[in-house]
């Protein structure tokens, strides 16, 4: 029994190939080139997977519009060798910028009058990007399930979940992996959103205490008068309404307790925590009995530790006990190369959950993302990517700038404007001369954009028509008859 490809080939006639009928086919891609490489047939299926229009492709040479990422095109190979090539995985970029993954079979079409001469090549292929994405998604879900089964200790992250290959991030990971093998306290410092708890969980899961509990508490999220009882527990009758309760230190026994934003803890409670570190013992609130504690203490703060000490938000003696190992996480603006690793990761993890398939990031979007300083760090970047996923249509595969939050697009637009106009007087130290140069350049640009229409240009510049005419005269900008500026 003949397969579909062979059946289609039998219908091919070098002189009367039913091109219009074939080009209506949607469920399979049929692509035909003549002996010179010129495209003579391009089916509806090709349009769909390449995000192209028929009229933009027909009559053009393949080498002029396609960018093959791995191998030369199968059509070119078949035209040269005269041999069929079947079931080949090809990855290429279409002129629209879409990267296509296909399985293709390509066949030579020989001349009827000269049997050894190849007149054309017919390529029949199917898009497999959905299958590849589905396979990677299934694999990820399997890995997530496996990891979750292993993590019954209150965590979800390991060092494998930390994304970043920049030098400073690689150094942080290296220090954290070394610290994980000790029982010493570790202080993690870094701006909000840099992933301090991800590091804390990763350290715990790489430590000998990995099978023991990991308890995290944000010191700034609990009222000051409740934080002590939350940490140490209470004894019934110690204050009105008090009951016997287990504190987090007791809950974390044998494991790790992570105190985030420890600089929010009052200094009195910090001194009690220092005693736990020094003696390994503590008392419940209202209790007389000393309880022995066997925990690993990890802590974090969102400012420079020495500045926190100077501002009396962190006891210096506690700092030296907490920072036996100190890890300083850099802000995202200091490791911009990691942005291009983090964005695809978020597209994959967040997009899968929403049923979206944004596989790529356009060059324009990369420029927008790399130009922003990300004061909210990784948390802000994740928000921006999630925003893009929500706005994307289900058929979209490329993250384009219009999907990103408006403030990011405005930031890069403003930055380009500043760079453009400041560059005209970068070496000028005279304020008046600098302002005059910038003003002249802006007026010339607006006039040119508006084809020297004075009324429209004055509106765009936010000044009156008379004022614009005055400034044109002041800066000696002459509009001559052929509508050019001199």
């Amino acid at each position: 029994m003949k397969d579909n490809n062979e059946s289609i080939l039998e219908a091919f006639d070098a002189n009367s190939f039913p091109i219009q009928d074939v080009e209506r086919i949607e469920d399979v891609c049929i692509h035909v080139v003549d002996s010179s490489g010129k495209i003579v047939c391009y089916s509806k299926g090709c349009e769909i997977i390449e995000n192209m229009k028929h009229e933009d492709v027909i009559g053009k040479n393949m080498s002029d519009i396609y960018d093959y990422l791995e191998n030369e095109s199968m059509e070119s190979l078949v035209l040269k060798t005269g041999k069929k090539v079947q079931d080949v995985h090809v990855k290429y970029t279409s002129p629209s910028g879409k990267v296509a993954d296909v399985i293709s079979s390509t066949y030579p079409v020989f001349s009827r009058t000269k049997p050894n001469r190849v007149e054309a090549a017919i390529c029949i292929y199917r898009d497999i990007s959905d299958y590849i994405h589905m396979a990677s998604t299934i694999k990820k879900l399997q890995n997530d399930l496996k990891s979750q089964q292993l993590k019954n200790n209150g965590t979800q992250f390991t060092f494998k979940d930390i994304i970043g290959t920049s030098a400073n991030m690689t150094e942080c990971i290296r220090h954290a992996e070394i610290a994980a093998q000790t029982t010493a306290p570790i202080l993690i410092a870094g701006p909000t959103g840099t992933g301090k708890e991800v590091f804390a969980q990763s350290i715990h899961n790489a430590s000998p205490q990995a099978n023991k509990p990991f308890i995290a508490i944000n010191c700034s999220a609990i009222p000051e008068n409740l934080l002590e009882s939350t940490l140490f527990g209470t004894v019934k009758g110690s204050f009105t309404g008090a009951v016997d309760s287990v504190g987090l230190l007791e809950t974390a026994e044998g494991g790790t307790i992570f105190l985030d934003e420890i600089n929010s803890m009052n200094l009195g409670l910090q001194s009690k925590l220092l005693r736990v570190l020094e003696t390994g013992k503590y008392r419940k609130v209202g209790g007389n009995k000393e309880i022995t504690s066997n925990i690993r203490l990890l802590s974090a703060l969102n400012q420079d530790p020495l500045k926190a000490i100077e501002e009396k938000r962190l006891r210096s003696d506690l700092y030296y006990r907490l920072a036996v190992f100190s890890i300083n996480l850099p802000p995202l603006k200091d490791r911009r190369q990691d942005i291009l690793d983090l964005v695809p990761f978020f597209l994959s993890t967040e997009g899968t959950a929403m049923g979206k398939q944004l596989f790529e990031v356009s060059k324009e979007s990369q420029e927008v993302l790399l130009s922003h300083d990300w004061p909210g760090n990784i948390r802000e970047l994740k928000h921006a990517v999630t925003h893009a996923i929500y706005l994307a249509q289900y058929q979209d595969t490329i993250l384009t700038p219009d999907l990103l939050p408006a403030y990011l697009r405005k930031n890069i637009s403003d930055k380009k404007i500043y760079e453009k106009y400041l560059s005209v007087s970068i070496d000028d130290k005279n304020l008046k001369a600098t302002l005059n140069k910038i003003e002249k350049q802006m007026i010339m640009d607006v006039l040119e954009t508006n084809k020297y229409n004075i009324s429209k240009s004055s509106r765009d510049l936010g000044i009156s028509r008379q004022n614009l005419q005055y400034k044109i005269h002041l800066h000696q900008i002459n509009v001559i008859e052929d509508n050019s500026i001199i």
Side-chain angles (χ1 to χ4, degrees):
M1 184 175 181
K2 297 179 180 179
D3 61 21
N4 289 337
N5 292 353
E6 291 174 336
S7 298
I8 293 172
L9 284 174
E10 286 182 351
F12 185 95
D13 185 295
N15 298 315
S16 59
F17 184 54
I19 290 178
Q20 290 183 346
D21 293 335
V22 170
E23 287 184 333
R24 295 190 186 100
I25 297 174
E26 295 186 7
D27 58 345
V28 67
C29 304
I30 301 176
H31 190 274
V32 182
V33 297
D34 65 15
S35 58
S36 67
K38 185 173 71 175
I39 301 165
V40 295
C41 178
Y42 190 74
S43 74
K44 189 67 175 177
C46 300
E47 291 185 345
I48 293 171
I49 74 162
E50 295 180 358
N51 196 26
M52 293 288 291
K53 292 182 179 179
H54 177 271
E55 56 267 27
D56 295 331
V57 175
I58 288 294
K60 295 185 179 178
N61 195 287
M62 289 190 63
S63 61
D64 293 334
I65 60 175
Y66 287 102
D67 178 19
Y68 288 85
L69 302 182
E70 296 173 357
N71 307 301
E72 66 176 320
S73 72
M74 293 300 102
E75 291 94 328
S76 299
L77 181 63
V78 169
L79 287 173
K80 285 193 297 185
T81 64
K83 297 179 180 179
K84 66 181 179 181
V85 181
Q86 292 180 293
D87 299 326
V88 177
H89 177 206
V90 181
K91 187 175 184 179
Y92 65 96
T93 301
S94 76
S96 69
K98 182 178 179 181
V99 176
D101 262 318
V102 302
I103 293 291
S104 72
S105 294
T106 308
Y107 303 87
V109 179
F110 294 97
S111 170
R112 288 185 174 184
T113 57
K114 297 179 181 180
N116 293 327
R117 179 179 174 181
V118 180
E119 292 281 3
I122 179 169
C123 181
I124 304 164
Y125 55 99
R126 290 184 183 276
D127 182 18
I128 61 168
S129 58
D130 284 349
Y131 302 111
I132 291 174
H133 180 63
M134 187 183 301
S136 64
T137 300
I138 291 172
K139 184 176 180 181
K140 180 184 180 302
L141 291 173
Q142 289 173 335
N143 290 337
D144 288 348
L145 179 60
K146 183 178 179 181
S147 297
Q148 197 58 44
Q149 289 171 341
L150 294 175
K151 299 176 199 170
N152 295 319
N153 57 6
T155 68
Q156 62 181 110
F157 300 112
T158 68
F159 283 117
K160 291 181 180 179
D161 298 307
I162 298 176
I163 308 297
T165 56
S166 59
N168 44 12
M169 181 53 64
T170 301
E171 188 72 358
C172 287
I173 294 172
R174 187 178 73 85
H175 286 171
E177 288 176 332
I178 294 172
Q181 300 308 310
T182 73
T183 58
I186 301 171
L187 179 65
I188 305 170
T192 299
T194 49
K196 295 185 288 294
E197 184 164 355
V198 174
F199 263 80
Q201 291 188 17
S202 300
I203 289 169
H204 174 77
N205 284 320
S207 73
Q209 297 85 20
N211 62 337
K212 300 293 184 180
F214 175 90
I215 305 296
I217 179 172
N218 188 322
C219 298
S220 66
I222 299 177
E224 187 176 303
N225 59 335
L226 293 180
L227 185 56
E228 182 177 0
S229 58
T230 301
L231 282 174
F232 298 112
T234 59
V235 173
K236 184 176 181 179
S238 56
F239 56 86
T240 303
V243 297
D244 290 327
S245 67
V246 175
L248 294 183
L249 291 177
E250 191 173 349
T251 303
E253 181 62 25
T256 301
I257 188 163
F258 173 57
L259 302 178
D260 196 7
E261 297 193 32
I262 196 168
N263 48 327
S264 298
M265 182 184 291
N266 72 63
L267 297 180
L269 186 52
Q270 286 186 26
S271 66
K272 294 181 180 180
L273 184 61
L274 175 62
R275 184 176 182 277
V276 177
L277 288 170
E278 290 179 338
T279 66
K281 296 180 180 181
Y282 68 93
R283 293 187 179 93
K284 291 186 176 185
V285 176
N288 297 318
K289 181 182 177 183
E290 283 198 329
I291 301 173
T292 300
S293 175
N294 176 28
I295 58 163
R296 169 78 173 279
L297 181 62
L298 306 182
S299 56
L301 71 168
N302 55 10
Q303 67 175 139
D304 179 80
L306 298 181
K307 187 174 181 180
I309 292 172
E310 181 182 342
E311 294 176 354
K312 300 190 183 303
R313 300 188 64 191
L314 181 66
R315 289 175 61 107
S316 59
D317 49 1
L318 177 61
Y319 165 69
Y320 295 120
R321 286 291 303 178
L322 292 174
V324 175
F325 273 95
S326 183
I327 299 170
N328 295 299
L329 300 185
L332 194 54
K333 68 178 181 180
D334 291 344
R335 53 182 188 107
R336 291 182 191 272
Q337 73 182 74
D338 292 340
I339 292 172
L340 299 184
D341 293 324
L342 286 160
V343 172
F345 173 76
F346 291 140
L347 286 176
S348 175
T349 55
E350 302 301 310
T352 299
M354 294 184 233
K356 303 292 181 70
Q357 301 180 32
L358 293 174
F359 301 131
E360 294 179 70
V361 183
S362 71
K363 289 182 179 179
E364 295 80 6
S365 295
Q366 290 181 22
E367 185 181 2
V368 173
L369 294 167
L370 291 172
S371 68
H372 187 54
D373 281 341
W374 301 106
N377 296 292
I378 299 173
R379 188 175 292 131
E380 183 187 0
L381 177 62
K382 184 177 180 180
H383 163 76
V385 174
T386 304
H387 178 279
I389 295 170
Y390 274 116
L391 285 184
Q393 300 298 309
Y394 284 97
Q395 68 270 22
D396 290 342
T397 60
I398 301 174
L399 193 161
T400 51
D402 58 294
L403 299 177
L404 293 169
Y407 76 91
L408 294 180
R409 302 195 302 274
K410 184 178 184 301
N411 284 350
I412 191 171
S413 176
D414 290 347
K415 185 176 181 180
K416 287 181 177 179
I417 291 172
Y418 296 147
E419 289 175 350
K420 176 180 180 180
Y421 292 120
L422 288 176
S423 65
V424 302
S425 55
I426 191 72
D427 297 322
D428 200 331
K429 305 302 181 185
N430 184 290
L431 179 60
K432 184 176 180 180
T434 297
L435 293 176
N436 283 336
K437 286 181 181 179
I438 293 173
E439 184 176 72
K440 180 178 180 179
Q441 185 64 48
M442 287 185 70
I443 291 172
M444 291 172 65
D445 287 346
V446 172
L447 284 168
E448 184 176 356
T449 299
N450 292 320
K451 298 181 180 180
Y452 319 111
N453 183 304
I454 300 296
S455 297
K456 191 172 188 311
S457 297
S458 64
R459 287 196 299 270
D460 288 351
L461 288 166
I463 58 179
S464 68
R465 178 186 172 90
Q466 292 76 13
N467 196 5
L468 175 57
Q469 289 174 329
Y470 165 75
K471 290 181 181 294
I472 289 173
H473 175 73
L474 176 67
H475 296 301
Q476 299 180 338
I477 302 171
N478 297 319
V479 182
I480 59 179
E481 290 183 358
D482 65 351
N483 280 341
S484 61
I485 291 179
I486 60 173

